[in-house]
Amino acid sequence: RYPLFAAVRRHSGGLLRAALSAAALPKLGDLEMAGVPIQTAWLEEGKDMAECPVCLMVPDQPTVGCPEGHALCRQCYVAELHQRKKCPVCGHATKESRLQRNRLAEGLIGQLRMRCKHGPEEGAGRGEGGAPPRAKRAKLEPASSMSADDLREELGRRGLSTDGTEGELAARLEEHRRSNAGEEGAEGCGWEGTVCQLSDHVAECPCEPAECPNKAAGCQESVRRKDAARHASETCAYRKNRCAHCAIAFEARALAGHEGSCPDAQIECPN
């Protein structure tokens, strides 16, 4: 009748004992959950117990409201009750005023081990019981071998700037490929911790999307946090570079056009 606790007992008796220990018990009422959507695939343990039956995500505030004790995300429970006044799992009649936050379930979930969403895919050499590694994607054509027109088409499809020389376009595309953790060859994040530690990790994860430091100048690109500084200084179309002839600083996207007509550029004598 109580799948959460049955799953806990099957998974690990030590987990429940840890949650009820003298050190952990005072924290159950004040536990800070991650505050971001968490997929059960990111969990290293307890996947059979820590899943909302409505959204299939890890509930950030487990809530019960029926005699069977089914735990859902609070927002999922409230949304379901707006459609019908019944528990979406067992069908028992209930209403929003009966919903209660399940502190024990929250404490148990908060102590589950998990990996960063930017880490290796589940089953990709992650120990016993893992699923087979994901098949590799088709190899992408190197940006350095693409024509300028193909580069601009691909960059435009990704919502990136198409200004600059062919070399700058190729570098911008390769950087965006590296920044996309879902594409082949991208480096992931190796962080592992508990669910309640996730929000602190997200605030400093090197693979989380970050704004370009040149956003004030007009750059709208988003790159991985660890790539932001290199992007801003090496491939951003809005970075400032000095003209090789007059030493005046121009945005990279306009520099090539300026250097072609710079009055300080040396040219052959007409005679």
Side-chain angles (χ1 to χ4, degrees):
R1 295 181 61 185
Y2 302 97
L4 173 65
F5 298 106
V8 170
R9 287 196 297 270
R10 289 197 307 271
H11 171 66
S12 172
L15 186 63
L16 182 58
R17 287 194 297 272
L20 297 175
S21 68
L25 189 58
K27 299 179 181 178
L28 291 180
D30 303 316
L31 183 63
E32 261 191 55
M33 300 296 281
V36 294
I38 305 174
Q39 297 181 17
T40 55
W42 304 341
L43 296 177
E44 300 288 349
E45 57 185 355
K47 296 178 184 179
D48 54 350
M49 74 171 216
E51 182 180 82
C52 171
V54 175
C55 67
L56 305 182
M57 305 288 277
V58 176
D60 61 346
Q61 190 178 118
T63 299
V64 296
C66 72
E68 298 295 331
H70 293 121
L72 289 71
C73 299
R74 181 172 183 83
Q75 59 267 33
C76 288
Y77 222 141
V78 171
E80 288 290 321
L81 291 180
H82 286 168
Q83 301 297 321
R84 58 176 190 158
K85 304 299 182 182
K86 295 180 180 180
C87 169
V89 179
C90 63
H92 273 92
T94 187
K95 53 186 178 180
E96 190 170 347
S97 62
R98 293 179 181 171
L99 299 185
Q100 295 184 345
R101 186 173 179 176
N102 190 325
R103 300 284 189 175
L104 178 57
E106 188 172 326
L108 290 168
I109 293 172
Q111 294 182 57
L112 292 176
R113 300 290 301 175
M114 68 173 296
R115 62 176 175 84
C116 178
K117 66 178 180 179
H118 301 294
E121 290 292 321
E122 180 186 15
R126 299 187 63 81
E128 298 181 0
R134 182 180 62 172
K136 285 189 175 181
R137 300 188 180 203
K139 189 172 179 63
L140 298 170
E141 179 183 2
S144 58
S145 65
M146 298 171 65
S147 68
D149 289 340
D150 289 342
L151 286 168
R152 289 191 174 91
E153 180 180 353
E154 180 67 13
L155 288 168
R157 186 181 65 80
R158 295 168 181 255
L160 305 176
S161 171
T162 57
D163 296 328
T165 64
E166 185 172 339
E168 290 173 335
L169 297 175
R172 189 173 304 140
L173 178 57
E174 288 292 356
E175 178 185 64
H176 190 263
R177 285 175 173 176
R178 289 193 300 269
S179 297
N180 188 336
E183 292 195 14
E184 181 182 351
E187 297 177 2
C189 173
W191 176 86
E192 292 185 1
T194 62
V195 170
C196 64
Q197 294 170 340
L198 179 61
S199 57
D200 289 337
H201 167 68
V202 169
E204 58 185 24
C205 176
C207 294
E208 275 292 300
E211 295 178 346
C212 172
N214 296 328
K215 181 180 180 179
C219 182
Q220 300 298 316
E221 294 188 31
S222 176
V223 298
R224 291 188 300 183
R225 185 175 283 129
K226 66 179 181 180
D227 295 331
R230 181 166 57 84
H231 163 78
S233 62
E234 297 180 13
T235 60
C236 177
Y238 291 86
R239 72 188 188 281
K240 289 295 184 71
N241 286 341
R242 293 190 177 277
C243 172
H245 311 298
C246 66
I248 297 176
F250 289 86
E251 289 181 349
R253 62 193 184 119
L255 183 60
H258 163 76
E259 288 184 335
S261 59
C262 179
D264 288 348
Q266 293 187 358
I267 60 173
E268 292 181 353
C269 173
N271 298 322

